[in-house]
Amino acid sequence: MKFGLAFASSIGIEQDSALDICRAAEDAGFESVWGGEHVIMPTSIESSYPYTADGKIPAQPDTPIPDPLIWLAFAAAAAPTLRLGTCILIVPQRNPLILAKELATLDRLSGGRVELGLGVGWLREEFDALGVPWERRGARNDEYIEAMRALWAGPHAEFHGEFVDFAPVTCSPRPVQESIPILVGGDTDAAIARAVRIADGYFPGEGDTDRLVALLARLHTAAESAGRDPQSIEINAMFSKHMRDPLAGIEQLTEAGVGRIMIPAFFFAGPGGLDRLRDFGENVIRHIR
């Protein structure tokens, strides 16, 4: 079982705290650190957040959400063994050629440690503020990924689609990895279909084990229907209520077929947080190994 420290960027927002959280996670036995994304937080939100019962995002307007790629570049040098992931990057909001360059540069500088966890977004007000079309953002996302993979594959790449169109170009440097792994986030049928179609991994937001098992059954059915081996899609799962009994929670998720457990860094925020992180490494991660 692998352990990722999710949303680490939101508690390590200053120079020292970012370095400390990454080094402590590495020492504790975590395999990866992850940064989330929202470019802005609208003052008024009518969009429904999909991962809470009341549809409200558990954040305040001034909750720090650093740019994940810049934060991960800083983290890369602090903790040279950790993989570096986004949870999640809202790909349809970004220019795919610039994003391909940014991800490839980060992968090159980190020695091939980048993973792109992505989503198509739930916050319409953010898209409106950025001037990005809300409609057909899923199709835009998928085409952007296809175009980026073409750029990463080699020189003189060209792409001709609905949202992206370019004659032969070269984007260098290219990733150390053959292609940067893609994780699709989300719990909807569309997210499951997207994971089956384009992803190396799947990262649902569901924190309840029973509902997660049902969700993964849908993923397996969709993969088999598409002629894909379900085992080729690595499962990443959020650790939430499991923190009440971490060892039992890990056992449940292992039985469910999870390959990486994502521990929200918010559990280790505030006074004594790094000590709690180190204790988790000693009493949980190292205990099961």
Side-chain angles (χ1 to χ4, degrees):
M1 180 64 72
K2 297 184 291 187
F3 292 86
L5 188 63
F7 313 119
S9 59
S10 289
I11 70 168
I13 62 169
E14 307 294 346
Q15 179 182 22
D16 289 344
S17 61
L19 296 174
D20 289 345
I21 192 72
C22 291
R23 289 166 177 161
E26 187 175 47
D27 291 343
F30 282 83
E31 162 265 354
S32 52
V33 289
W34 300 74
E37 173 171 61
H38 278 295
V39 176
I40 50 91
M41 190 64 66
T43 299
S44 177
I45 297 176
E46 295 184 7
S47 301
S48 179
Y49 182 67
Y51 304 114
T52 56
D54 62 2
K56 304 296 184 183
I57 184 172
Q60 299 300 316
D62 61 351
T63 296
I65 307 177
D67 180 280
L69 299 183
I70 292 177
W71 190 91
L72 290 169
F74 190 76
T81 69
L82 293 178
R83 292 191 66 77
L84 312 164
T86 56
C87 67
I88 51 75
L89 199 75
I90 310 170
V91 167
Q93 294 180 349
R94 291 175 173 251
N95 180 296
L97 281 77
I98 295 174
L99 180 57
K101 167 74 79 169
E102 291 171 334
L103 289 165
T105 301
L106 179 57
D107 197 65
R108 177 66 57 174
L109 289 173
S110 67
R113 291 188 277 147
V114 175
E115 300 194 19
L116 174 59
L118 62 83
V120 302
W122 62 272
L123 184 53
R124 179 168 188 154
E125 291 86 347
E126 183 177 28
F127 277 73
D128 291 344
L130 292 169
V132 176
W134 171 257
E135 292 76 17
R136 307 202 66 236
R137 65 195 185 283
R140 182 182 297 273
N141 172 91
D142 295 357
E143 192 170 291
Y144 282 9
I145 296 301
E146 189 177 356
M148 290 195 296
R149 282 174 164 166
L151 292 168
W152 293 334
H156 312 298
E158 65 178 299
F159 190 90
H160 304 285
E162 177 183 356
F163 306 102
V164 190
D165 193 325
F166 53 83
V169 299
T170 299
C171 187
S172 183
R174 286 178 288 281
V176 172
Q177 303 175 90
E178 183 176 346
S179 186
I180 291 173
I182 304 292
L183 283 65
V184 165
D187 297 3
T188 64
D189 288 339
I192 288 173
R194 180 167 293 109
V196 169
R197 189 168 61 251
I198 71 169
D200 304 285
Y202 178 48
F203 180 25
E206 181 57 68
D208 178 83
T209 302
D210 291 338
R211 290 196 294 267
L212 175 67
V213 168
L215 192 62
L216 297 183
R218 289 161 51 198
L219 176 75
H220 283 211
T221 298
E224 290 169 350
S225 297
R228 180 172 180 182
D229 180 4
Q231 300 304 316
S232 68
I233 305 171
E234 182 177 55
I235 305 303
N236 302 259
M238 194 65 74
F239 214 61
S240 54
K241 296 178 181 178
H242 310 91
M243 283 295 278
R244 297 171 183 170
D245 187 348
L247 295 177
I250 292 168
E251 183 176 355
Q252 292 172 3
L253 294 179
T254 300
E255 291 175 356
V258 172
R260 179 191 282 128
I261 289 175
M262 298 289 232
I263 313 292
F266 304 115
F267 286 124
F268 310 113
L274 292 182
D275 288 336
R276 295 195 301 276
L277 178 59
R278 296 185 185 99
D279 288 344
F280 185 87
E282 185 66 31
N283 298 322
V284 179
I285 296 178
R286 291 190 172 88
H287 178 84
I288 68 168
R289 292 176 178 168

